[in-house]
Amino acid sequence: MEAQGFVFKDHKYISIILILVLFIFILAFSGRWYVRKIYPIKYKDYIFKYSEENGIDPYLTTSVIFVESKFYPNSISKKGARGLMQIMPKTGEWIAEQIGIEDYQVDDLFDIETNIRLGTWYLAYLMKQFDG
């Protein structure tokens, strides 16, 4: 009788192990889904558009935005950097001149699309300056 009870316990452990293996398997193959639920990419269209346009990995751009502003477009640092990618006003003005944006205003750094456009261009510029 005890042998049967012991066998039943073994099946119970095997079932638990199989469930854990299945769970790990699911996480491994749907990890991107899991990560996207925890860290959704806001402004994805602009991030991918301007990252591709400037030859930057869009996930690098996303990481910069997350670290610099936590995706808050009206963010201002203690030093005065503005917007999603925390661009300094003078730097934003210089970038706008370089890429031919007319009528640039400092408050344009709070515009999501403009900030990402300027920020990805500047990332590409820095990567060229410092050989990647």
Side-chain angles (χ1 to χ4, degrees):
M1 283 266 215
E2 283 189 44
Q4 289 177 348
F6 182 74
V7 171
F8 178 75
K9 285 182 182 179
D10 283 347
H11 287 294
K12 183 177 177 181
Y13 292 121
I14 290 173
S15 297
I16 291 171
I17 291 171
L18 286 175
I19 290 170
L20 286 173
V21 168
L22 181 61
F23 181 72
I24 291 168
F25 181 78
I26 289 170
L27 278 179
F29 286 99
S30 66
R32 285 186 170 201
W33 173 85
Y34 179 73
V35 169
R36 282 190 306 245
K37 292 298 177 191
I38 293 175
Y39 300 109
I41 299 177
K42 295 180 181 180
Y43 320 120
K44 186 176 183 175
D45 292 341
Y46 294 137
I47 290 170
F48 277 76
K49 176 183 177 181
Y50 292 110
S51 293
E52 183 178 313
E53 191 174 287
N54 291 292
I56 299 293
D57 182 339
Y59 296 103
L60 172 62
T61 303
T62 303
S63 298
V64 168
I65 292 171
F66 180 77
V67 168
E68 293 296 334
S69 69
K70 304 286 189 277
F71 290 95
Y72 181 63
N74 296 321
S75 181
I76 301 176
S77 76
K78 292 177 185 176
K79 298 285 185 180
R82 297 168 181 236
L84 291 171
M85 297 187 76
Q86 291 292 280
I87 301 170
M88 293 296 288
K90 289 287 184 190
T91 304
E93 186 177 321
W94 180 77
I95 297 167
E97 287 176 16
Q98 299 302 307
I99 63 177
I101 295 177
E102 296 181 17
D103 301 325
Y104 169 81
Q105 302 292 317
V106 172
D107 285 342
D108 291 346
L109 291 174
F110 295 121
D111 177 71
I112 294 162
E113 183 174 9
T114 301
N115 192 280
I116 293 171
R117 181 179 178 194
L118 297 177
T120 53
W121 184 91
Y122 193 58
L123 276 176
Y125 169 80
L126 291 174
M127 290 180 80
K128 287 175 193 167
Q129 287 291 106
F130 296 102
D131 296 323

